[in-house]
Structure formats: structure tokens, C-alpha cells
Amino acid sequence: MPDEALTTEATKRVDEAIQSRRSVRAFTAEPVSRETVERMLETASRAASGGNLQPWKVYVLAGEARKALVERVAEKMKENPFGDGPEYDIYPKDLTEPFVSRRGEVAREMYEMIGIARDDSAGRMTQMARNFSFFDAPVGMILTIDRQMGPPQFVDLGLFLGNLMLLAREEGLHTCAQEAWSLWGRTIREEVGVPENELVFCGLALGHADASAQVNRLQTSRATLSDFAELHGF
């Protein structure tokens, strides 16, 4: 499995940010300033957007606000570990190859890396639950989109999210995009004040990566160029 040392230094080029970005699942307690977050958000908002709709909305949680959401979800998980119900289908119900294998491979690699056996349901559930502490990152974001929006606008939201994750690397920070937060839409609305017309798309953990954490050594594989691209006329 890919297993490479985590890069924590700030990047200076876009390609460096792309190559060093990964889903970090263990963060230190070192804070991230409001000024840094605002700078990242303002820059990320230059993402391409069809018709300039700019359909994204972001709720940024730190300090007591972050703690309140995390603690409320933790309390609810005692009775309902699977959340309020999904806001949308995170994966297609009848997923085909090669996508099934890709999804299975990254799960297997991650759990093997942190020593959780395939049949250890409790261990896997505990690791899954760490999503809902933002993996201890000091900043958690909830990204939403108006329910009237369709697939093109979800692409716009994804471009905005991608910008945020690359800008984090420029700041010497790391992220983890978390569709798992979409399982707690009702609770997020109650705690954070998200209106009913907004669909909870995902969370984003932001902070300084814990370079000593084994889980952060995982770097997922990627398909070869010939698997996903056809070049004509060259």
C-alpha cells in the first residue's frame, strides 16, 4: 500500500499542494487563526462557478462552537450511532467496477495501517466515529448547498472545496473532507442554525497534521493516465 511520510511544510506551488494533499485523520491541538481561515475562504471563493451562482455556503466552527456540535453528536450517537439519516446517497446503491474495488482498497489499507482487523466491527465503528470530532482538528467546517441546486452546482461546490484543501497546504495545514457529516443534518441544523432549505453536503477538518500518527501515512493510489484519459489529435 502507498505509505509515505507526511509533508507538513507550507507549499509554494500548486503542483506541490496537489501532490502533498491527503486526507488527514489525526490533528494536533495547535490552533488556526481566524485571519488564516478568512484568507483561505476569500481566496477559495474564486472557484469557477457556472453562471456565477456561487452556490456554496460554509459554517466554520472553532472553540466552544465546535465543541458544542461535537459533544451533541457524541451524546446522540449513544442511542443512534448511524445519525439522523443521510442527506443524500453518498455512493450509488449499485456501484460497479472499478469503483467498488477502489473503495474497498482504501478501506482495507487504512484499517490495516492502524491495526484494525476486518472482522473488528467495534474497532471500525470507533474509527468511523472519529469523523464526528473532526479528527481532533481545531477547526471544523460544514459545507452546504441550497436544495434547489442540481449536479452542475454540486460541481461548483466541489471546486470550492478543492480550492480550500489546496490553500490549506499553502498555509502548512492539512484537511480531511468528510461526507460522513451529512448523516447528521438535522442535528447540525439545530446546533449551528443551518436553514432547512440547505442540504448538508460535507464537513471539512482543518488544522496541523499530527506527523507521528500512523493513520496519516496512508496515501491512496491513483489510476494511471491511460485509465481515465483519452488524448486525441496530438
Side-chain angles (χ1 to χ4, degrees):
M1 71 183 66
D3 178 2
E4 299 183 7
L6 186 76
T7 300
T8 56
E9 295 80 8
T11 60
K12 298 183 182 302
R13 301 198 318 257
V14 174
D15 67 314
E16 291 175 343
I18 293 171
Q19 293 290 352
S20 63
R21 187 214 63 80
R22 65 180 67 181
S23 294
V24 161
R25 295 179 175 88
F27 292 84
T28 73
E30 184 177 350
V32 178
S33 71
R34 178 178 179 137
E35 291 74 20
T36 297
V37 173
E38 288 181 341
R39 181 168 61 248
M40 290 172 58
L41 290 170
E42 288 176 353
T43 304
S45 73
R46 297 304 307 175
S49 174
N52 201 31
L53 296 189
Q54 305 171 64
W56 48 78
K57 187 75 178 288
V58 190
Y59 298 83
V60 184
L61 308 174
E64 290 301 313
R66 175 197 166 283
K67 180 181 178 183
L69 177 62
V70 167
E71 289 184 347
R72 186 165 185 182
V73 168
E75 187 62 29
K76 283 194 168 188
M77 284 189 71
K78 296 175 183 177
E79 299 294 330
N80 187 12
F82 299 104
D84 301 323
E87 297 276 286
Y88 58 92
D89 291 332
I90 295 178
Y91 301 104
K93 290 183 171 61
D94 298 314
L95 197 64
T96 59
E97 293 294 349
F99 314 110
V100 172
S101 293
R102 290 174 181 171
R103 183 185 176 198
E105 178 185 30
V106 69
R108 177 183 58 78
E109 289 177 347
M110 183 185 73
Y111 287 122
E112 283 183 1
M113 183 166 281
I114 58 179
I116 297 177
R118 184 181 181 85
D119 60 353
D120 184 359
S121 299
R124 289 183 173 227
M125 196 66 174
T126 298
Q127 178 62 28
M128 171 63 179
R130 283 186 47 71
N131 274 283
F132 308 120
S133 66
F134 293 103
F135 297 110
D136 298 327
V139 177
M141 300 186 191
I142 301 294
L143 282 77
T144 71
I145 189 169
D146 196 289
R147 292 182 186 276
Q148 67 183 297
M149 299 301 173
Q153 290 76 50
F154 275 84
V155 171
D156 296 348
L157 173 58
L159 291 169
F160 172 79
L161 175 61
N163 276 359
L164 275 178
M165 290 189 283
L166 297 182
L167 287 163
R169 295 300 307 114
E170 187 179 78
E171 300 284 351
L173 303 171
H174 273 280
T175 57
C176 185
Q178 302 167 273
E179 292 163 321
W181 274 105
S182 68
L183 300 175
W184 291 100
R186 184 171 70 249
T187 301
I188 291 169
R189 289 185 185 90
E190 293 170 355
E191 185 64 39
V192 182
V194 175
E196 287 292 335
N197 66 292
E198 293 178 23
L199 179 148
V200 174
F201 177 65
C202 72
L204 185 71
L206 172 71
H208 294 269
D210 181 353
S212 67
Q214 183 69 11
V215 70
N216 287 341
R217 295 187 64 84
L218 175 64
Q219 186 175 53
T220 54
S221 61
R222 287 294 185 266
T224 63
L225 182 63
S226 62
D227 285 332
F228 67 86
E230 294 185 14
L231 281 67
H232 300 271
F234 286 91

